[in-house]
Amino acid sequence: MTRPAARLDRIAPFRVMEVLARARSLEAQGRSVIHLEIGEPDFPTADGIVQAGVRALAAGRTSYLPALGLDALREAIAASYPAAHRPDPSRIVVTPGASGALLLALGALVNPGDGVLLSDPGYPCNRHFVRLFEGDPRPVPVGPETNYQASAEQLRSRWTDRTVAALVASPANPTGTMVARGEMARIARTVSALGGALVVDEIYHGLTYGIDAESALALGPDIFVVNSFSKYYGMTGWRIGWLVAPAEYVPALERLAQNLYISVNTPAQYAALAAFEPEVKVELERRRGVFRERRDYLVPALCDLGFGVPASPEGAFYVYADCSRFTDDSEAFAREVLTATGVAITPGIDFGEHAARRHVRFSYANTLENLEEAVRRLKAYLEDRPARP
Amino acid sequence: MTRPAARLDRIAPFRVMEVLARARSLEAQGRSVIHLEIGEPDFPTADGIVQAGVRALAAGRTSYLPALGLDALREAIAASYPAAHRPDPSRIVVTPGASGALLLALGALVNPGDGVLLSDPGYPCNRHFVRLFEGDPRPVPVGPETNYQASAEQLRSRWTDRTVAALVASPANPTGTMVARGEMARIARTVSALGGALVVDEIYHGLTYGIDAESALALGPDIFVVNSFSKYYGMTGWRIGWLVAPAEYVPALERLAQNLYISVNTPAQYAALAAFEPEVKVELERRRGVFRERRDYLVPALCDLGFGVPASPEGAFYVYADCSRFTDDSEAFAREVLTATGVAITPGIDFGEHAARRHVRFSYANTLENLEEAVRRLKAYLEDRPARP
């Protein structure tokens, strides 16, 4: 066998995939499994978007598009931001999912050995993108005292002369927590004063409950903003997202895009145009209400069971729950819960190192009925199970 | 402005994009332009494939699929190879275009500073993928004496202790030339004996004329084979391809895929299943005949005009023509030809350094009528133009 590149050893598998494989194996044995491990909305793509995709195919829209994306879509994305901080459409890069946006942004920012600050816990792919480019992902351990988000002060104190960027997600996966507006402004000023780049992951914008998320674009033209049609717009399998980049980076990002993926799936780009239509918006807002209802049920129900949810998840569809009352090994606990109850959850280790063994992630991308059934099963199981001494 | 990563300076723009922009600007002024610069089949996706995409959308197939791809598609791709060297479906990785396959293969093989041997001229993205991973693309200058392909002997003589892989494309872009079967076997033995990995780009398989291309899979289980639904199968805008990987690399490639792009566009995967249906095959073979007819017209016509085509293009849809009778600056020549005649062609510089100023690429992804008109215009123009002294 030839020698594989060293980076492969530094890219860990998602534990959630093992959970999913075990869950499917239980299902194959006839067991009822409730999937609360999944990071994907449980709604199909809204009909108005699907029909736009069908029309694009019927019209023969099957050729390459420009690497930066369909102009009409770049304009529609730009127009989706409030007028006060609407970016010029030339700053919008349509990407193959938010994954593609992170690939471009970090490919444009990270030299070998460069440090990138990331909250721990956080979305696992972020650190792997940094490693892909031979950079050094530097976790910032965060907990409920900062709403599970890295503060401006934490970023400042951990910045070194090899740090080039900070990546912030609001709302975040796995915690659903947001960075408050004033704190995001402090973060932007801090990172800028340190000469670094700020990348803000806004892929859960739209899926916030009782609060509207303001884009970091409001804080200046130098911030890289990552977004996606996957979550609020419900287009996961289409693989389409976008990056709003500082204007001076766009020519280099275009070259990267041309070389890395040529262009984004064409029917998906035409379909995404429909995502901004008023009748689609009505359906998406209805779904947002459904997610909110589930969150409002699940968080207190988990607390009643003995889980800790000290920072309120204000967006996305996850609850990052402290399970230290039950275990000091959340990976074993998740396995045990799945086997005993058929409820699939994700161990904290998927999201970093910090307090990972004391946390599990519940996704509420599942029906209220299933959430209620999951809570019933957990209640019966946990009541029989001795608490930790 | 923050500091962009150094790799951006090493990733050149495609000159063909400048040609295309200038061509479009001429068209906007009302000029008639014949596009012979384009690397995309001029046929829309075959109807049977489009209809399968429409059915997938109608059936709500809009969620993520597994990172390695839809099992049924992996099986269909494996079954498309002759029984004698059919790979196990578990070795097939469905990717976002051949671009995604190259990203995975080189990400799995290239450490910083590692050398990868590539023919010059060659597909420009290949060297950029190597640079993306901080590797060192090492061009092997090739000419008509080796059919514009790197020979086993050339690879052996240029191998160093930092070389980890060789990348061979057959048929190749920009030359359309193939590696003969015996030579490919020698290449595979040579690279293996040197302890390196061999990556073979087979994206133009199916588009060979008067000759059938044998997959390098016939030469052993350790070869990385890149292929695509873009060219023969006419699915450019869908962005779907595949990698056949050595079995022991698949788990690492799965982790890379999960992290880099999660999964490939779902409707495209269902649509691609239809690419193997007999009635679609009939249409694809008809198109192959059309491409052959164009090649058989264009190559002698270019020779009559005074271009040199010393190695017969046996596949793809390109002619890499020696224009040294007319110029020693093919980039200026391509610009001049476009302005004077409205015929858009690609300068050699897009494909490397070696003899690039003496070559231009003609694509015959255009109708026979347009090729004939282009030749008429070139004839009138070149006859009036003094030959080089």
Side-chain angles (χ1 to χ4, degrees):
Chain A
M1 182 178 170
T2 50
R3 179 182 55 133
R7 73 177 60 78
L8 297 182
D9 296 332
R10 302 189 301 258
I11 297 184
F14 297 158
R15 306 299 166 98
V16 69
M17 294 319 230
E18 292 167 33
V19 173
L20 187 60
R22 213 171 308 116
R24 294 217 165 118
S25 142
L26 288 176
E27 284 174 317
Q29 296 162 32
R31 287 281 301 278
S32 149
V33 170
I34 301 177
H35 291 279
L36 306 187
E37 81 281 36
I38 305 244
E40 180 172 26
D42 55 315
F43 300 104
T45 303
D47 191 57
I49 299 173
V50 171
Q51 292 313 320
V54 169
R55 284 196 303 276
L57 288 177
R61 306 245 187 244
T62 59
S63 303
Y64 292 129
L65 289 173
L68 293 174
L70 187 67
D71 279 341
L73 182 58
R74 298 169 74 199
E75 286 159 18
I77 291 168
S80 74
Y81 289 95
H85 54 268
R86 185 166 295 159
D88 192 89
S90 64
R91 290 177 54 204
I92 310 288
V93 185
V94 180
T95 56
S99 305
L102 288 162
L103 185 70
L104 289 190
L106 294 170
L109 290 170
V110 178
N111 280 302
D114 283 350
V116 177
L117 295 172
L118 309 158
S119 71
D120 177 358
Y123 178 58
C125 299
N126 292 341
R127 59 182 189 272
H128 295 143
F129 279 111
V130 176
R131 284 182 182 137
L132 184 77
F133 296 114
E134 303 297 331
D136 182 18
R138 300 189 183 160
V140 180
V142 294
E145 61 287 353
T146 59
N147 208 27
Y148 289 104
Q149 293 281 1
S151 67
E153 179 48 31
Q154 283 171 309
L155 295 175
R156 198 200 53 71
S157 71
R158 285 164 182 273
W159 202 274
T160 73
D161 55 8
R162 283 311 306 271
T163 309
V164 298
L167 198 159
V168 173
S170 176
N173 178 4
T175 60
T177 61
M178 294 172 67
V179 178
R181 185 180 179 162
E183 186 62 23
M184 190 67 94
R186 274 188 292 277
I187 289 171
R189 278 198 305 274
T190 301
V191 172
S192 174
L194 289 161
L198 178 61
V199 181
V200 182
D201 173 347
E202 300 187 346
I203 72 168
Y204 291 102
H205 274 214
L207 292 180
T208 58
Y209 314 116
I211 184 172
D212 271 322
E214 184 183 68
S215 172
L217 290 178
L219 301 173
D222 295 332
I223 298 171
F224 291 79
V225 168
V226 171
N227 210 323
S228 172
F229 286 99
S230 289
K231 308 298 183 179
Y232 175 66
Y233 298 101
M235 294 182 68
T236 48
W238 303 73
R239 312 306 304 118
I240 178 164
W242 72 88
L243 174 66
V244 190
E248 60 274 21
Y249 274 85
V250 172
L253 293 169
E254 181 176 20
R255 294 202 307 276
L256 263 183
Q258 287 170 349
N259 280 283
L260 294 186
Y261 57 81
I262 302 179
S263 69
V264 174
N265 181 281
T266 296
Q269 295 199 54
Y270 284 97
L273 276 172
F276 301 109
E277 287 174 1
E279 57 272 44
V280 170
K281 181 89 175 171
V282 169
E283 170 62 11
L284 300 181
E285 286 296 308
R286 187 192 69 75
R287 295 176 179 192
R288 179 186 192 173
V290 172
F291 277 120
R292 179 180 184 158
E293 189 182 15
R294 295 170 182 176
R295 180 202 63 166
D296 291 347
Y297 165 73
L298 186 61
V299 174
L302 291 175
C303 293
D304 285 349
L305 291 176
F307 291 96
V309 188
S312 175
E314 295 166 309
F317 34 76
Y318 309 113
V319 182
Y320 196 59
D322 185 326
C323 56
S324 56
R325 183 164 153 197
F326 307 112
T327 186
D328 57 7
D329 180 352
S330 59
E331 196 169 3
F333 178 73
R335 201 157 36 224
E336 191 188 304
V337 164
L338 175 58
T339 307
T341 71
V343 176
I345 54 180
T346 307
I349 192 77
D350 250 7
F351 309 103
E353 301 282 334
H354 176 61
R357 300 186 156 273
R358 290 197 279 114
H359 287 85
V360 288
R361 187 190 74 174
F362 291 83
S363 162
Y364 47 92
N366 207 325
T367 62
L368 194 55
E369 294 65 37
N370 281 339
L371 294 175
E372 288 167 348
E373 171 63 15
V375 167
R376 271 192 297 275
R377 293 187 193 179
L378 287 168
K379 183 175 166 66
Y381 172 68
L382 294 170
E383 278 176 357
D384 281 351
R385 189 177 181 278
R388 292 182 64 197
Chain B
M1 182 179 172
T2 50
R3 179 182 54 132
R7 73 177 58 80
L8 296 182
D9 296 333
R10 301 188 303 258
I11 297 184
F14 297 158
R15 304 300 166 98
V16 69
M17 293 316 220
E18 291 167 34
V19 173
L20 187 61
R22 212 171 309 116
R24 293 213 168 120
S25 140
L26 287 176
E27 284 175 316
Q29 295 163 34
R31 286 283 300 280
S32 150
V33 170
I34 301 176
H35 291 277
L36 306 187
E37 80 281 35
I38 306 241
E40 179 172 26
D42 55 316
F43 299 105
T45 303
D47 191 56
I49 299 174
V50 171
Q51 292 312 320
V54 169
R55 284 195 305 275
L57 287 178
R61 306 242 187 248
T62 59
S63 302
Y64 291 130
L65 288 173
L68 293 174
L70 187 66
D71 280 340
L73 182 58
R74 297 169 75 198
E75 286 160 17
I77 290 168
S80 73
Y81 289 95
H85 53 268
R86 187 167 294 160
D88 192 88
S90 64
R91 290 178 53 203
I92 309 288
V93 185
V94 181
T95 56
S99 305
L102 288 162
L103 185 71
L104 290 190
L106 294 169
L109 290 169
V110 177
N111 280 303
D114 283 351
V116 177
L117 295 173
L118 309 159
S119 71
D120 176 355
Y123 179 59
C125 299
N126 291 342
R127 57 182 190 271
H128 296 145
F129 278 112
V130 176
R131 285 181 182 139
L132 184 78
F133 296 114
E134 304 297 330
D136 182 18
R138 298 186 185 163
V140 180
V142 295
E145 61 286 353
T146 58
N147 209 26
Y148 289 104
Q149 292 280 1
S151 67
E153 178 49 30
Q154 284 173 308
L155 295 175
R156 199 200 52 71
S157 71
R158 285 165 182 273
W159 202 274
T160 73
D161 55 7
R162 283 311 305 271
T163 309
V164 298
L167 198 159
V168 173
S170 175
N173 178 4
T175 60
T177 61
M178 294 171 68
V179 178
R181 187 181 178 163
E183 186 63 23
M184 190 69 93
R186 275 188 290 277
I187 289 172
R189 279 198 304 273
T190 301
V191 172
S192 174
L194 290 161
L198 178 61
V199 182
V200 182
D201 172 348
E202 301 186 346
I203 72 168
Y204 291 102
H205 274 215
L207 292 180
T208 59
Y209 314 115
I211 184 171
D212 269 323
E214 184 184 66
S215 173
L217 290 177
L219 302 172
D222 295 332
I223 298 171
F224 291 78
V225 168
V226 171
N227 210 323
S228 172
F229 286 99
S230 289
K231 309 297 184 182
Y232 175 65
Y233 298 101
M235 294 181 69
T236 48
W238 303 74
R239 311 307 305 115
I240 178 165
W242 71 89
L243 175 66
V244 191
E248 61 273 22
Y249 274 86
V250 172
L253 293 169
E254 180 176 20
R255 295 203 305 275
L256 263 183
Q258 287 170 350
N259 280 283
L260 294 186
Y261 57 79
I262 301 178
S263 69
V264 174
N265 181 280
T266 297
Q269 295 199 54
Y270 283 96
L273 277 172
F276 300 107
E277 286 175 2
E279 57 271 44
V280 170
K281 180 89 176 172
V282 169
E283 170 62 11
L284 300 181
E285 286 297 308
R286 186 191 70 75
R287 294 176 178 191
R288 178 187 193 173
V290 171
F291 277 121
R292 179 182 183 157
E293 189 182 14
R294 295 171 181 175
R295 180 202 64 164
D296 290 349
Y297 164 74
L298 186 61
V299 173
L302 290 176
C303 293
D304 285 349
L305 291 176
F307 291 95
V309 188
S312 176
E314 294 166 309
F317 35 74
Y318 309 114
V319 183
Y320 196 59
D322 185 327
C323 56
S324 56
R325 184 164 153 198
F326 307 112
T327 186
D328 56 7
D329 180 350
S330 60
E331 197 170 2
F333 178 73
R335 201 157 37 224
E336 192 187 304
V337 164
L338 175 59
T339 307
T341 72
V343 176
I345 54 180
T346 307
I349 192 75
D350 250 7
F351 309 103
E353 301 281 334
H354 176 62
R357 300 187 155 272
R358 290 198 281 114
H359 286 86
V360 288
R361 188 191 74 175
F362 292 83
S363 162
Y364 47 93
N366 208 325
T367 62
L368 193 56
E369 294 66 35
N370 281 339
L371 294 176
E372 288 168 348
E373 170 63 14
V375 168
R376 270 192 298 272
R377 293 187 192 178
L378 287 168
K379 184 173 164 68
Y381 172 68
L382 295 171
E383 279 177 356
D384 283 349
R385 188 176 181 279
R388 293 181 63 200

